[in-house]
Amino acid sequence: MRKSARVVVIGGGIAGCSTLYHLTQEDWSDVMLLERNELTSGTTWHSAAQVTNFGMNQTMVGLKTHSINLYRELSEDPDYPINYHHADGGIRLANTEKQMDGYRHFTSMARGMDVHFEVIDAEECARRHPLISTDNLVGGLWDPLDGDIDPAQLCQALARRARKAGAEVHRNTPVTGLRQLPDDSWVVSTDKGDIHAGIVVNACGYRVNEVGAMMGVHHPVMSMEHQYFLTEEIPAIRDAGHRMPLLRCPISDYYCRQEKNGLLVGFYEQDCKTWGMDGIDPNFVNALCPDDLDRVTDVLEGAFARMPALMETGIHTVVNGPITYTIDGAPLVGPIPGKRNAFCIIGLRAGLGEGGGHGWLLAQQIVHGEACYDTWVTDPRRFTGHANVELTALKAIEDYQNEFRFHFPHEHRPAGRPAKTTPLTPVLAAEGAAFGTVNGWERMEFIKPDPDFHEDYGYHFNNVFDVVASEVATVQDRVGLTEVSGFNRFELTGADVDVFLDRIICGRVPRKAGRVGLGYLLNHQGMLKSEATIARLPDGRVWYGSAAAAEYHDMDWLQAHLRSDEDVQIRSLTNEHTILVLAGPRARDVMSAVSRADWSATAFPWLHVRECFIGIAPAVVMSVSFSGELAYEIHVPNNQLYAAWLALRRAGADHGMGLFGSRAVDSMRLEKGYLHWKAEILTEFDPFETGLGRFVDMAKTGFIGQDALHTRQADGPRKQLVTLHLESDDAPAQGGASVMQHGKVVGTVTSGDFGHRTGMNLAMAFVEPGLAVAGQRLEVDVVGVLVGCTVTAPGPYDPQNSRVRG
């Protein structure tokens, strides 16, 4: 066994084997895999091993497509072929038109990745899968490339290819300790000796937190017991002359696929059960949990009703084993928060089906720093300090119970809430607030018109439309107040702050105290990494503000690029302060009533910051706007947040103040052409492609990504961000929807909503550069309907910014 390696991967299931193989595909051969027992002895060995192309976003579709292509290649390897039932086809059933709308949207989204689903009616579902009943069935989504694979053969094939490329695989080699050295490399201790590793990867399946504890971290991953059974032979399958398609049923919470001449039938019962919360027996190897078919009786009855042939066959084998979940159901693949040279590929509940793609993207991140797709959907840093064991368990149960039920737009499910609150959360609830969540924080979305109001979730404009319109009108005509919880806020101090900021931000940085500016961070490929508001306070302090979800992501980036000889201190204030936003033409009057400061446009113009008091509460106030109206961001310590709120509410009563939520902000920011991090601001595009060239100063030297950006400029843009005006008042365009021209996909929507001040159904999208011209006619596939649209100038509301300046 080598005594040193560039990368040590811990865990020999699909996650570890895929990562190891893909590292060798990146020409890194000095890599090792350590497995405590035999390869595939954890969850992998008992996986149902379904391989679908279906994903909730384009990144997931892309990595699954990579898995399918890789597995097909492996299955055709003449030296080591593996069993892969490729392209049997699969159907996801639906019994409501809203579910069908979701399938229509996913079809539009997948088309942009050159993946082609088909939305079919109930009769066509039964024609393609003759064992099912059409009772209470509306239709389904057909995935032509659906299939299943042999788990052990797959992992052995990946390990074999990795070995041939120079990697080492060591079975029966448990890791007993991990220690990080001052240069951020690692000592990996095993019962066969120590290994010096430049990078470590946790790919430990349900034992993820045993290895996490060796690093001093906890991963929000929980295991659930999951049961399936194999049936005896079914004559209709034996005599069909073709393999049966796979089936996934959100109506009855089961799935099935052909296994020999019978079926493998799996269940997602409501009376589900977590596993291993209090530790895992070290001898639980190639093992299963006790059978418990009584727990799935209700689900089994639904499966019988949908597939009567199940009542006429016997059960051959029952499998009950642990599978892993995260808080939102998506895996954790990428850098481990707060650690250097440490990555994870964990929480892969559908590991066999998509593990090939996850290992592919992780290997790219390890070798290049980024992957070909924006990987935020799987980034481990999307969960922060609230992600404890108890919360993870509650969310895992909820997600398990809703395995085949996708989230509708704006749907935030109730388990594990509230995780993060401010002193105003109960106050806003008493005012009638409806809350969503951002990085665990409860955030007001809108004020319910009556206590019994419930949103009718779906893909079309719904009963919240008029509520949001009213809140927007309040902000436009008078003045509105809202809370923005969880906004990321770092305080930077030290003699070298200016040098540091100049290096991490690609544009000009405010130099004078009292000024505020918007800055963009690039990665080493010249792509957009993050967006930050930079505010200069007295005494050399600088406040760095960014999206609430970016808390761990941005802290890791800043600390990783802080040089050892630089005098810069970074202190997080994210959990100590909260923002109140006051917006509208009468905002200045309200501020003048609660503070002794001079709030005139001359004394406190747009893009300035000052410290003051709001009533008796100390505050940092910035004259910035995400709504396009005169607005103030009021940053208040949480222990005095309620006092500031009361002062503003009292003063606002004389000026017709109303409350507004994040849904109104989304509408208004689209009208202004303002961008969202991880909607429009993605690592797949550079600032020029994203329309942010005015925030880049190529004349200054030494900022991160500058050389790569020079090269990209010379090559020209691949896509260009535009604003689209849709000719429909029925539904908004959802992120991922395909932009079309003459039947061809020419772009992808990033976000969409109705602009109540302009009366325009708006969307932002990346399109082919030649089409990014005002007046260009295009179409958007909006839940299965091609809607005509026109490229319009970005920010159609008040393009001169006269209202922002007040």
Side-chain angles (χ1 to χ4, degrees), residues 222 224 274 277 326-327 388-401 414-417:
M222 180 59 57
M224 303 291 298
T274 60
M277 283 187 69
T326 66
I327 288 177
N388 56 39
V389 173
E390 304 302 325
L391 176 64
T392 306
L394 291 173
K395 297 304 288 186
I397 291 168
E398 181 181 63
D399 210 53
Y400 184 97
Q401 292 170 333
R417 296 176 60 189

Side-chain angles (χ1 to χ4, degrees), residues 562-645:
L562 180 61
R563 294 172 180 167
S564 58
D565 61 348
E566 286 182 323
D567 177 18
V568 178
Q569 295 79 47
I570 306 172
R571 183 168 72 100
S572 177
L573 303 176
T574 301
N575 297 301
E576 299 175 16
H577 289 67
T578 296
I579 297 174
L580 302 176
V581 173
L582 187 70
R586 301 183 189 174
R588 181 173 288 119
D589 298 326
V590 176
M591 290 297 287
S592 298
V594 296
S595 171
R596 291 184 291 110
D598 182 352
W599 297 99
S600 67
T602 303
F604 192 62
W606 187 36
L607 297 181
H608 278 67
V609 59
R610 66 165 44 144
E611 293 181 295
C612 65
F613 285 88
I614 302 299
I616 63 170
V620 171
V621 179
M622 302 180 195
S623 54
V624 295
S625 176
F626 204 51
S627 63
E629 305 291 345
L630 173 66
Y632 302 98
E633 266 188 15
I634 305 167
H635 300 244
V636 185
N638 282 337
N639 63 350
Q640 293 180 285
L641 183 64
Y642 184 48
W645 174 267

